[in-house]
Structures are given as structure tokens and as C-alpha cells.
């Protein structure tokens, strides 16, 4: 796969279908000097779904539904990398520190595609779920068995690094397969309306903004750790993206 093809795949699906060959040809002809503008163009279009063409009715909503779940998965991986975190993870004595999760979970519920409750629809979806999640489930169980056996406690050096890498690859692979399952469900399920989708994105953005604010306040009160600064910046970027897309969807609906 050449660079032009890879960069073209970063664009939203509808844009690739309509102008993918032209984008790839232009990138190939212009060479490496066009890469920054190509990346910026892809990011700009992802933030403005109202500018996407549609090959079929509901295509934009389907892509944004999957993208919202991908954003939630990315948030989960980001927070897992920062654990333990007293700022964002509450214990029984400080439940308020987890309130930022409420709007995110509400947004996910609003954006969830709802398949019709019929056997001829649910059976293929159940089969697809088994096929999609079988591999990550098997790897995750193997990882748990290794941890429970106590073997991981005696591993050092390169082997320890390999196990940590395997752990994160497993989490990333599981997140990817879950998003793949959402994309499969979205093909036959009732997609959220544009209004619900815009509200869901804004709720997710609000939750991420609250999480980033909590991290920032904690950093101001104490000496900021580099990992906390990176986490705050990453949460802020995800929040800005969700809010920007949510406002664009709301504007398009209006």
C-alpha cells in the first residue's frame, strides 16, 4: 500500500467513494509536500459531516454512530493507560469524581442502533457477534489465565515487555472488534435520528470536557505529572472533536 492510498483511506467513507480516486491521484502527483494538507483536509471533513455526500440515505448517520462508539473506545483505552487515577476514578467515598461518566453513558445509549426484535434479524446479528468477538474473547481469556496462574509475576526483561505489549494489543484489538460489531449492527438496525445523534455527541463531548477539567484542576492544585498533562490534552482533543461534530450535525439538521 502506497502513501497516497493510505492517506486517502483517512477520509470519511462517503468522501472516499465520491472523490477517493481524485484525492489519491493528486497526492501521488504532488508527492510528500501535499501530505500535511491532505491530513488536515481529512481531519477537517471528519469534523464537518454536513459537508459529506451520501451514496444512500442514512449513510452519514451510520458512519457517525460507529465513530461515536470508536470515540468511546478510545476514551476507555486512554483512561486505562492512566490508571490508577484518583482524579477520574471514584471510590465509594468520592463518587462525585465519576460524574463525568454520566453524560457519556447517556450519549452512548442515545446513539445506540436498535435492531428490530425479530428472530430473522436477531439470529444473524447474534451469529455475527459470536464471529466478531470470538478471537478477542479467546485472547482475553488466555491473558486472564496467565495472570491468575501467577506466571506473569516472575517474568522480567524482554518477556515482561512482550506481555505488556500483548496486553495493550489485546485491549486495542477488542475495542476495534467491538466497533466492527457496532458497524455490522448499524447496517440492519434503526439508526438514531439526526437530533438524537447530535445530542449524543454533545453529551459525550460534555462528559469528556468535565473529565479534562477535573484533571486540570487536580494538576493546578498539585505538581502536574507529565502523564496527567498528556491525558488532559488527549481528553480535551476528544471533547473538542465530539462537540464540533455535534454542533455541525445540529446545524445541518436546522
Amino acid at each position: 500500500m502506497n502513501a497516497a492510498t493510505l492517506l486517502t483511506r483517512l477520509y470519511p467513507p462517503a468522501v472516499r467513494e465520491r472523490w477517493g480516486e481524485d484525492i489519491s491521484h493528486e497526492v501521488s502527483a504532488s508527492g510528500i509536500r501535499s501530505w500535511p494538507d491532505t491530513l488536515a483536509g481529512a481531519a477537517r471533513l471528519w469534523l464537518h459531516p454536513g459537508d459529506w455526500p451520501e451514496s444512500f440515505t442514512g449513510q452519514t448517520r451510520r458512519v457517525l454512530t460507529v465513530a461515536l462508539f470508536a470515540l468511546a473506545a478510545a476514551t476507555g483505552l486512554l483512561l486505562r493507560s492512566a490508571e490508577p487515577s484518583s482524579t477520574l476514578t471514584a471510590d465509594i467515598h468520592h463518587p462525585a469524581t465519576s460524574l463525568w461518566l454520566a453524560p457519556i453513558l447517556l450519549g452512548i445509549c442515545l446513539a445506540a442502533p436498535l435492531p428490530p426484535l425479530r428472530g430473522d434479524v436477531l439470529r444473524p446479528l447474534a451469529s455475527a457477534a459470536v464471529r466478531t468477538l470470538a478471537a478477542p474473547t479467546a485472547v482475553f481469556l488466555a491473558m486472564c489465565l496467565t495472570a491468575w496462574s501467577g506466571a506473569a509475576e516472575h517474568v522480567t526483561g524482554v518477556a515482561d515487555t512482550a506481555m505488556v505489549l500483548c496486553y495493550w494489543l489485546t485491549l486495542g484489538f477488542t475495542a476495534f472488534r467491538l466497533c466492527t460489531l457496532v458497524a455490522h449492527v448499524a447496517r440492519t438496525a434503526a439508526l438514531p435520528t439526526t437530533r438524537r445523534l447530535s445530542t449524543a455527541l454533545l453529551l459525550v463531548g460534555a462528559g469528556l470536557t468535565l473529565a479534562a477539567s477535573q484533571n486540570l484542576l487536580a494538576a493546578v492544585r498539585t505538581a502536574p505529572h507529565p502523564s496527567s498533562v498528556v491525558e488532559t490534552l488527549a481528553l480535551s482533543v476528544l471533547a473538542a472533536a465530539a462537540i464540533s461534530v455535534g454542533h455541525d450535525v445540529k446545524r445541518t439538521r436546522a
Side-chain angles (χ1 to χ4, degrees):
M1 182 186 301
N2 57 35
T5 302
L6 181 61
L7 289 170
T8 302
R9 290 190 176 185
L10 298 178
Y11 281 78
V15 175
R16 295 199 308 266
E17 292 172 11
R18 181 72 63 87
W19 299 297
E21 291 185 6
D22 295 335
I23 295 172
S24 181
H25 177 74
E26 183 176 346
V27 173
S28 297
S30 302
I32 193 172
R33 66 177 180 274
S34 68
W35 292 5
D37 288 340
T38 304
L39 289 171
R44 185 166 52 250
L45 280 169
W46 274 109
L47 294 176
H48 295 89
D51 297 335
W52 301 353
E54 282 200 346
S55 302
F56 55 87
T57 303
Q59 183 182 26
T60 298
R61 287 185 293 132
R62 179 188 295 181
V63 173
L64 288 179
T65 298
V66 178
L68 186 145
F69 279 85
L71 181 67
T75 301
L77 291 174
L78 173 65
L79 296 177
R80 181 66 187 89
S81 68
E83 287 187 357
S85 172
S86 59
T87 305
L88 298 177
T89 304
D91 57 33
I92 192 171
H93 303 293
H94 303 88
T97 56
S98 286
L99 286 179
W100 61 273
L101 279 170
I104 293 179
L105 294 176
L106 180 57
I108 290 174
C109 291
L110 283 176
L114 302 175
L117 301 178
R118 301 198 315 266
D120 60 325
V121 176
L122 294 179
R123 281 191 295 272
L125 287 180
S127 177
V130 171
R131 292 195 305 272
T132 304
L133 300 179
T137 300
V139 176
F140 183 77
L141 288 176
M143 186 173 61
C144 289
L145 289 174
T146 302
W148 293 334
S149 69
E153 299 176 2
H154 307 289
V155 175
T156 58
V158 177
D160 182 57
T161 302
M163 290 193 68
V164 172
L165 179 61
C166 181
Y167 172 78
W168 282 107
L169 288 175
T170 299
L171 291 184
F173 180 55
T174 301
F176 172 76
R177 297 299 281 179
L178 285 172
C179 292
T180 301
L181 179 60
V182 172
H184 187 88
V185 172
R187 295 174 187 169
T188 56
L191 293 172
T193 62
T194 303
R195 181 176 182 178
R196 276 176 54 195
L197 195 54
S198 64
T199 302
L201 286 162
L202 292 173
L203 283 170
V204 170
L208 291 172
T209 300
L210 182 58
S213 300
Q214 287 181 200
N215 254 9
L216 182 61
L217 287 175
V220 170
R221 293 172 184 168
T222 60
H225 191 274
S227 62
S228 178
V229 174
V230 172
E231 182 185 14
T232 301
L233 290 175
L235 288 170
S236 300
V237 170
L238 293 176
I243 292 173
S244 175
V245 175
H247 278 300
D248 190 82
V249 173
K250 185 177 181 179
R251 175 185 60 81
T252 302
R253 179 175 62 86

